[in-house]
Amino acid sequence: MPAASDLGRDVVVVPPAGVMDDDDESTWTPWPDLQPELAGMVFCRLLSHGDRLRFRAVCRRWRLAARQQHPLPPALPWLNLDGRITYQSLPDGEVHRIPVPDELQAGGTVVCRGSFDGWLLYDRSEQLECFLMNPISKARIDLPYHWHCDDDDDAILPDYGEEEEGQRTMCFGENAVRKIAVCSPDLIAAVIAGSGVFFYRPGMHSTWLFASGGPCFARDIAYYNGKLYSISSDGELFVHEFSDSISADIVIGIAPQAYSCQGYSWRSTFYLVISCATGRLMMVRWRWHLPIFYNVRRWGVDELRKEIKLDVFEADLEKRRWLEVKELGDQALFLGTSCSRAILSSDYGSCIFFSSLNITRLCSDGIINGIGDCAYCVYDMKNDTFRFDNPVSIKREGLSYGSDGRWRADWFFPCE
């Protein structure tokens, strides 16, 4: 498996010094004459969003070749390194900073609460305003700041203040919002920690609504084949209906059992991902074999390689069961609390990327023994091996910590 720092390096195109736009004849080079088909093939091999931007800047013909690539494979993601401002590009370790735009601060203090796929969540709590924004395209989706509360919903969320009868204020803090998914132009869903699934339908509702009947402790959600699915902390798969009434049904029972040794138990986390190869819904179970009574300490790499397991399952919705997946082909999976995605990559086929936070939240000082400050980890399904030596690109001090004393790592997928 190639090192992350080497990914895409063999295809990054840097034109010779002196190359000018193709309509400037004062300096001629053969680069603009590269056939559009070849230029397009090169462009599709660039896995870094930054490299794609630089490619388009070479000349007009290359920009045209880039525009003609449909569908374009997604670029590899960035990983948040601090309080939602600094990101590290996965292919090359390049650091990107996305400060809150000045024009957003004009109406009061705005705080970035996290990244969700290609969106950033901004919160202006003093004015009770919240919205998603794509920092590249500048697209914006305004979100309601309240959720509709029925009499039966009194115990769903902590009381953050009741503004009107039947309404309560949503909490958009980092430790409350696990995930927001823009399912379609008329459906946005969210997972609130310890509460369940909420949804908002622009143009139809003025508040969030609680998706009753779903898991109380939803771990993840995914929009698949026009329906919203959620998964519980036990691996139960739910499907939600939002037609004439709001309902949820269990589609598949709990995930296949993982047996543990006496005195040990599995600490598990579940993720939902849509396969980019088969188009089917998958569930990934990340688990760590820990003593029932354990101490927070610096875990060593050799220990982690023995005690951490990842299982991939495919949902058989017709027979209502999970089917184990042994290999992913040319797919690479990126797992995160706020976003998980599958990407086609022959270089990283059958590799699963996950945040080091899964481990460092149980490590003293947030450090893996022998590794240091690790940004992310990689599991290769082909040879059943792990890589933990993926350092962060900056020295992280004075971070914005969550309630568990560790920074929350989010994947961000730059898209236009």
Side-chain angles (χ1 to χ4, degrees), residues 6-246:
D6 297 331
L7 186 58
R9 284 301 185 187
D10 58 329
V11 294
V12 173
V13 179
V14 180
V19 167
M20 305 180 82
D21 202 291
D22 53 356
D23 56 0
D24 189 330
E25 298 179 357
S26 61
T27 302
W28 181 88
T29 75
W31 284 95
D33 293 332
L34 186 67
Q35 292 297 317
E37 295 80 6
L38 294 177
M41 292 174 62
V42 171
F43 182 74
C44 288
R45 287 281 295 165
L46 299 177
L47 300 180
S48 163
H49 179 72
D51 286 339
R52 291 180 177 182
L53 293 179
R54 287 184 279 269
F55 181 98
R56 293 188 181 104
V58 172
C59 63
R60 292 180 180 177
R61 293 186 182 181
W62 284 24
R63 285 196 293 274
L64 178 60
R67 291 194 198 104
Q68 293 175 339
Q69 305 311 307
H70 297 291
L72 179 65
L76 292 184
W78 302 348
L79 185 68
N80 175 255
L81 298 181
D82 60 8
R84 309 292 174 256
I85 294 177
T86 307
Y87 294 80
Q88 175 178 321
S89 174
L90 190 62
D92 46 25
E94 187 176 12
V95 174
H96 303 268
R97 302 188 189 278
I98 310 179
V100 177
D102 292 338
E103 61 269 21
L104 296 183
Q105 300 285 13
T109 302
V110 177
V111 178
C112 182
R113 297 296 189 185
S115 59
F116 302 90
D117 204 347
W119 301 90
L120 299 182
L121 175 66
Y122 289 107
D123 179 17
R124 188 183 284 121
S125 57
E126 295 177 356
Q127 283 76 31
L128 299 181
E129 295 179 8
C130 192
F131 53 91
L132 294 169
M133 177 173 282
N134 182 320
I136 298 173
S137 69
K138 304 303 180 183
R140 171 170 167 165
I141 301 175
D142 290 314
L143 302 175
Y145 215 87
H146 301 87
W147 65 283
H148 178 75
C149 177
D150 292 327
D151 293 339
D152 296 335
D153 298 335
D154 286 338
I156 294 173
L157 276 179
D159 190 355
Y160 296 109
E162 189 167 340
E163 305 299 321
E164 312 180 356
E165 184 178 355
Q167 289 190 9
R168 284 190 180 176
T169 303
M170 288 282 281
C171 179
F172 289 102
E174 290 89 335
N175 297 318
V177 181
R178 292 183 57 86
K179 186 172 185 176
I180 295 180
V182 180
C183 304
S184 67
D186 60 355
L187 178 60
I188 299 170
V191 177
I192 305 298
S195 301
V197 179
F198 290 74
F199 70 97
Y200 165 57
R201 309 198 73 169
M204 296 179 62
H205 304 146
S206 59
T207 63
W208 293 91
L209 298 178
F210 177 65
S212 58
C216 293
F217 297 96
R219 307 305 299 179
D220 201 0
I221 53 176
Y223 191 65
Y224 173 68
N225 280 353
K227 295 182 179 181
L228 182 69
Y229 290 83
S230 63
I231 193 162
S232 72
S233 55
D234 293 322
E236 294 174 302
L237 184 67
F238 290 76
V239 61
H240 299 264
E241 298 288 347
F242 305 110
S243 53
D244 296 333
S245 60
I246 304 170

Side-chain angles (χ1 to χ4, degrees), residues 20 30 134 171 227 232 262-264 295 321 339 366-367 395 409 411:
M20 305 180 82
N134 182 320
C171 179
K227 295 182 179 181
S232 72
Q262 185 175 2
Y264 282 73
N295 296 318
R321 61 180 179 175
C339 177
I367 298 297
K395 185 176 181 180
W411 294 113

Side-chain angles (χ1 to χ4, degrees), residues 264-269 271 284-290 299-311 335 352 354-360 362-363 368 377-380 384-388:
Y264 282 73
S265 64
W266 290 105
R267 182 187 179 104
S268 301
T269 301
Y271 304 90
V284 182
R285 177 175 60 190
W286 185 98
R287 52 194 175 103
W288 189 354
H289 203 218
L290 287 169
W299 298 87
V301 169
D302 290 338
E303 296 176 286
L304 297 174
R305 288 187 174 125
K306 293 178 182 178
E307 304 299 342
I308 292 178
K309 305 293 181 184
L310 283 94
D311 313 302
L335 308 179
I352 302 176
F354 59 92
S355 168
S356 62
L357 181 61
N358 287 20
I359 299 169
T360 56
L362 299 182
C363 292
I368 298 176
C377 310
V378 185
Y379 172 62
D380 190 336
D384 193 29
T385 58
F386 285 89
R387 281 197 55 179
F388 300 98

